[in-house]
Amino acid sequence: MELDNAIATPLYKQLEELILDKITSGTLTPGSKLPTENELSEQYHVSRVTVRKALAALDSQGYLEKKSGKGTFIAEKKMQRSLSPAVVSFSQMCQRMNKKPGAKTIKIAIEDPTPNEAELMGLDETEKILVIERIRYADDKPMLLEINKFPESFSFLFSENLNNTSLYELLKNKHNIVFDHSSKTIDITFASSRNAKILGITKGYPLLRIDSIIHDSTSAYTQLSLQLCIGDKYKLIV
């Protein structure tokens, strides 16, 4: 396809839109390598400066990923995570982005809460908590490690299969418990050896840490959630 010098749209913008169309249509898929600047310049009969401007625009929008010594690749579409108080499950986020949600339970146990956890959850000194640790997947790729903490009364979840299941949908549809509002604290941390192994990344890889205090619709229950998200797979929306 030739770019058109005769129209008002700058050549770099035409090239940007052409490549973007190939990305959104699926002609260029995530992980595929783009031709070099020289190759694109020759293919579309434009200068390398024009190519560089088009690629810079796509890179700034998150469509491209540059790998040192390897070239420029089509980036994976990032998960969009809202910072609003409303509770949106990981499964819902995946479905909105046409990705297949998945989950693998790696721990479920009754434990003693820390004094801070007991205070946040409104528990007395004799009550314990249910801890559920799961890896969450999108299209079979690990995206985050989540640790959910519930009052001990949620121990009925021991009898449920929590693999490849939306925890919130299960609680809503089977137990009539709806968690619907939260407060969040967000910061950056780095993967420990254990978490790196679980998520298939290197030790020290940047992780987006999201601590949430979540309440059900009747304010009868408080859940604590910790999510350790692979940093470059997420985009936050305010």
Side-chain angles (χ1 to χ4, degrees):
M1 177 180 176
E2 294 286 339
L3 303 183
D4 191 350
N5 268 309
I7 63 176
T9 306
L11 288 174
Y12 84 88
K13 193 67 178 176
Q14 292 182 51
L15 181 57
E16 174 194 341
E17 292 172 353
L18 186 152
I19 296 174
L20 179 57
D21 182 65
K22 289 185 177 182
I23 294 172
T24 55
S25 68
T27 304
L28 291 173
T29 57
S32 61
K33 186 179 179 180
L34 272 184
T36 65
E37 288 184 3
N38 278 337
E39 290 169 339
L40 289 170
S41 177
E42 293 176 4
Q43 181 179 353
Y44 295 105
H45 306 291
V46 293
S47 70
R48 286 186 63 186
V49 172
T50 296
V51 172
R52 199 171 294 124
K53 287 180 69 175
L55 298 184
L58 290 167
D59 185 41
S60 69
Q61 298 171 65
Y63 289 106
L64 303 181
E65 179 182 9
K66 294 181 179 179
K67 297 182 181 180
S68 180
K70 295 182 178 180
T72 301
F73 296 79
I74 306 302
E76 290 189 29
K77 192 174 183 181
K78 294 186 177 183
M79 299 292 290
Q80 297 183 357
R81 178 65 189 261
S82 172
L83 299 184
S84 73
V87 175
V88 178
S89 72
F90 179 82
S91 295
Q92 289 174 316
M93 284 193 291
C94 286
Q95 290 159 359
R96 290 175 182 179
M97 300 183 69
N98 296 315
K99 292 180 178 288
K100 181 183 75 173
K104 178 182 178 182
T105 305
I106 56 178
K107 174 183 175 180
I108 180 167
I110 297 294
E111 297 182 358
D112 292 317
T114 67
N116 184 56
E117 289 170 344
E119 182 179 356
L120 290 173
M121 298 175 76
L123 307 177
D124 64 40
E125 60 184 16
T126 65
E127 290 182 277
K128 296 182 181 294
I129 57 174
L130 175 70
V131 180
I132 301 172
E133 191 169 348
R134 300 195 298 172
I135 307 169
R136 302 309 310 268
Y137 299 86
D139 289 342
D140 300 319
K141 296 179 180 179
M143 301 295 290
L144 64 89
L145 173 65
E146 68 174 16
I147 302 171
N148 291 306
K149 299 182 179 182
F150 296 93
E152 187 178 3
S153 59
F154 280 66
S155 57
F156 57 79
L157 290 172
F158 271 105
S159 63
E160 302 284 358
N161 180 5
L162 304 180
N163 293 325
N164 298 322
T165 298
S166 170
L167 195 53
Y168 290 140
E169 286 300 308
L170 186 152
L171 289 171
K172 175 183 176 182
N173 296 331
K174 197 168 181 180
H175 302 281
N176 200 33
I177 299 172
V178 179
F179 285 94
D180 64 356
H181 58 288
S182 67
S183 60
K184 301 179 181 72
T185 303
I186 299 170
D187 63 4
I188 299 295
T189 186
F190 301 95
S192 64
S193 297
R194 176 181 181 269
N195 293 341
K197 184 176 180 180
I198 288 171
L199 294 171
I201 54 179
T202 57
K203 180 182 177 182
Y205 204 88
L207 299 175
L208 183 67
R209 176 184 174 123
I210 304 176
D211 284 285
S212 302
I213 304 171
I214 307 169
H215 306 281
D216 79 308
S217 55
T218 66
S219 296
Y221 306 111
T222 298
Q223 171 208 353
L224 302 182
S225 171
L226 166 62
Q227 294 182 319
L228 297 172
C229 313
I230 300 177
D232 56 3
K233 295 184 181 294
Y234 278 79
K235 177 167 62 176
L236 298 179
I237 301 174
V238 179

